[in-house]
Amino acid sequence: MSNGKTRYVQVGLGSRSGMYTKAITQTYPDHAELVGLCDRNRGRMELVSGKLEAPVPMYGPDAFDRMLAETRPDVVVVTSMDVTHSDYILRAMELGCDVITEKPMTTDDARCRSILQTAAATGRSVRVTFNYRYSPPREQMKEMLAAGTIGEVLSVDFAWMLDTRHGADYFRRWHGERANSGSLLVHKATHHFDLVNWWLGDRPEEVFCHGSRKYYTPQHADAMGLSDRSERCLDCPAKDRCRFHLDLAGNAGLKSLYLDHEHEDGYFRDRCVFGDRIDIWDTMSVSVRYRRGALLNYMLHAYSPVEGYRIAFNGTKGRIEHVCCENTYISGDGTIPGELQRGNTTITLIPEFAQPQAIEVRTGKGGHGGGDPKLLDDLFLPTPGADPLGQRASQADGAYSILIGVAAAKSIDAGSAVHIPQLLQGVPLME
């Protein structure tokens, strides 16, 4: 620390990183100090640095070690492409830094084991930013389940819908390739699996999954009369007929962050959602058995007409149903992600042998249903206070959330169930 402030560097400066930059430099400047930026795109770094009150040193990925040596940070904030998370997490811990990382912690079981082993060897910490844990309705669900309102939970039915604005956005970005993201079972569903793990206070044991890609396909595009489409939206001859067209040039935020700097790294933010390069699934059905015996049935749809989720917990004393509708958005377009639609989020308690009871739902302001501001307080205030609901997610929480998705993808490939303890191979979790 310098002058009583915690020193931070950031690596990866895409759309999600701005939340942390703003928090460090504007919301918590009395406690936090940004001392370095790292990204493969020099133009994007200059854009971010130029908005700061005082510019900070900038480094390319090859100079990551030098950045840590020269800026002497206490904490490294990792918001780079998913598959690269582990590279920076591992090196940061080896060089004496703690880590805050966006979800998912990493993308496969081998990288996950390396992070856990390095954390155990170095004694450094990894905080995974599961902001959904902090939103008021999800806190309510945790409190009700922890209080035994419906007794022991025996089964969970969970369906998450990504609509054709938000869901499609994963297929036009780098997320559409498993090598980068581990698929939506890892990149997106890590949020959802973590919620269930946290709500149940339990650990997953066995996973089976079916997956398909039938919507975001070249065949579907042809059927919609888009056979003349091109690789990206910017110069696509079918853009006036395509409902999935993304106008990078016409959106100030996306233009300044991506289009203006794509010549630096060759990353096209507006690639065709029906492209041949895509190898992730758009429909996934997952079955999970937990350590204490609860069963989870989970569905993820990436092409729904609505955005949000439905979940029901079935217990020995009744049932809790929770429905949440969210605003639809494209990452980086200025819309607040996960903002709850007022009046369309409900919690219903159905006690055994009794009538259903509508529970008044708590609300909050800010991204991810009010979760982002509370998460940031917990990350950047020097004395964040007690954690009675266990919302602070460690590397163990990060591991279990991604390992369900990793196991699910392996299950699709193999056509058989996958046991999570086998993926851990005895590596300590430091729970």
Side-chain angles (χ1 to χ4, degrees):
M1 293 188 184
S2 174
N3 301 322
K5 296 182 181 182
T6 302
R7 298 169 63 86
Y8 296 88
V9 295
Q10 282 188 262
V11 55
L13 301 176
S15 59
R16 187 61 181 158
S17 68
M19 179 179 82
Y20 303 97
T21 309
K22 182 179 179 181
I24 295 167
T25 61
Q26 298 181 32
T27 311
Y28 309 95
D30 292 341
H31 314 293
E33 182 180 6
L34 183 62
V35 297
L37 298 172
C38 179
D39 194 273
R40 66 178 184 172
N41 190 303
R42 180 77 182 183
R44 193 173 299 127
M45 278 197 292
E46 291 174 349
L47 175 69
V48 173
S49 181
K51 294 178 180 178
L52 301 176
E53 191 171 300
V56 300
M58 297 180 291
Y59 301 83
D62 292 343
F64 181 75
D65 284 15
R66 181 162 62 86
M67 176 177 69
L68 299 193
E70 292 178 356
T71 64
R72 297 175 291 105
D74 303 297
V75 181
V76 176
V77 180
V78 179
T79 54
S80 58
M81 185 186 295
D82 294 354
V83 71
T84 67
H85 284 187
S86 62
D87 297 336
Y88 301 116
I89 292 171
L90 293 171
R91 198 65 185 132
M93 288 192 291
E94 289 167 351
L95 294 176
C97 299
D98 292 326
V99 178
I100 295 171
T101 182
E102 258 294 335
K103 58 80 192 168
M105 187 172 74
T106 188
T107 56
D108 62 37
D109 51 312
R111 290 181 172 92
C112 179
R113 291 192 298 271
S114 294
I115 290 172
L116 297 174
Q117 288 169 326
T118 303
T122 63
R124 309 313 305 188
S125 70
V126 180
R127 287 283 302 275
V128 186
T129 57
F130 288 125
N131 37 28
Y132 271 118
R133 290 186 178 202
Y134 292 81
S135 72
R138 288 121 191 175
E139 289 176 329
Q140 262 182 290
M141 293 292 295
K142 174 66 173 178
E143 290 169 0
M144 293 175 70
L145 292 165
T149 306
I150 59 169
E152 180 187 357
V153 176
L154 303 179
S155 65
V156 184
D157 298 307
F158 195 2
W160 200 289
M161 287 77 68
L162 297 170
D163 72 1
T164 45
R165 178 171 159 84
H166 184 193
D169 205 38
Y170 292 111
F171 290 80
R172 64 170 62 97
R173 293 187 282 163
W174 53 261
H175 309 72
E177 298 167 58
R178 284 179 67 181
N180 295 330
S181 66
S183 83
L184 290 177
L185 286 165
V186 175
H187 174 82
K188 185 61 182 175
T190 185
H191 258 321
H192 315 155
F193 296 139
D194 176 70
L195 276 175
V196 177
N197 295 347
W198 176 61
W199 276 328
L200 293 179
D202 202 359
R203 298 308 195 189
E205 286 277 329
E206 184 180 76
V207 177
F208 183 82
C209 184
H210 289 291
S212 65
R213 175 179 160 228
K214 296 293 181 65
Y215 189 89
Y216 297 104
T217 65
Q219 294 76 20
H220 189 200
D222 292 346
M224 290 189 292
L226 303 174
S227 58
D228 58 336
R229 65 192 179 278
S230 64
E231 173 62 19
R232 63 179 305 189
C233 293
L234 188 69
D235 55 5
C236 183
K239 63 184 179 182
D240 293 334
R241 291 175 276 116
C242 182
R243 294 172 297 179
F244 297 91
H245 173 250
L246 179 65
D247 184 7
L248 275 187
N251 183 291
L254 294 174
K255 179 179 182 298
S256 64
L257 194 59
Y258 295 107
L259 183 60
D260 291 348
H261 307 292
E262 64 181 30
H263 63 281
E264 301 252 359
D265 56 11
Y267 174 57
F268 294 163
R269 175 62 177 76
D270 62 343
R271 298 183 75 178
C272 182
V273 301
F274 305 107
D276 293 326
R277 67 184 174 81
I278 297 168
D279 62 359
I280 65 171
W281 306 280
D282 56 30
T283 310
M284 292 137 278
S285 174
V286 186
S287 177
V288 183
R289 178 175 56 79
Y290 279 81
R291 190 177 293 172
R292 295 200 303 267
L295 301 179
L296 164 67
N297 290 314
Y298 168 85
M299 287 288 299
L300 176 60
H301 314 267
Y303 47 86
S304 171
V306 295
E307 178 88 2
Y309 64 86
R310 296 174 176 269
I311 189 166
F313 294 86
N314 303 293
T316 54
K317 297 180 181 179
R319 174 180 170 98
I320 299 175
E321 297 178 351
H322 175 33
V323 178
C324 178
C325 293
E326 296 185 328
N327 287 341
T328 173
Y329 71 100
I330 289 174
S331 180
D333 73 348
T335 307
I336 298 177
E339 181 73 3
L340 304 186
Q341 295 182 7
R342 303 295 185 254
N344 292 321
T345 299
T346 62
I347 297 175
T348 305
L349 172 63
I350 312 173
E352 195 173 40
F353 304 113
Q355 291 298 308
Q357 304 170 17
I359 306 297
E360 184 177 354
V361 180
R362 299 175 197 158
T363 60
K365 294 182 179 180
H368 292 92
D372 284 352
K374 297 176 72 172
L375 167 70
L376 294 173
D377 278 351
D378 207 22
L379 289 173
F380 295 111
L381 287 177
T383 53
D387 185 24
L389 297 179
Q391 288 163 293
R392 294 171 193 152
S394 67
Q395 59 264 16
D397 300 308
Y400 276 119
S401 71
I402 62 165
L403 288 174
I404 296 178
V406 170
K410 289 178 178 288
S411 175
I412 294 172
D413 292 339
S416 59
V418 174
H419 295 265
I420 286 180
Q422 293 178 356
L423 300 182
L424 285 169
Q425 297 182 9
V427 171
L429 278 156
M430 297 174 61
E431 299 194 56

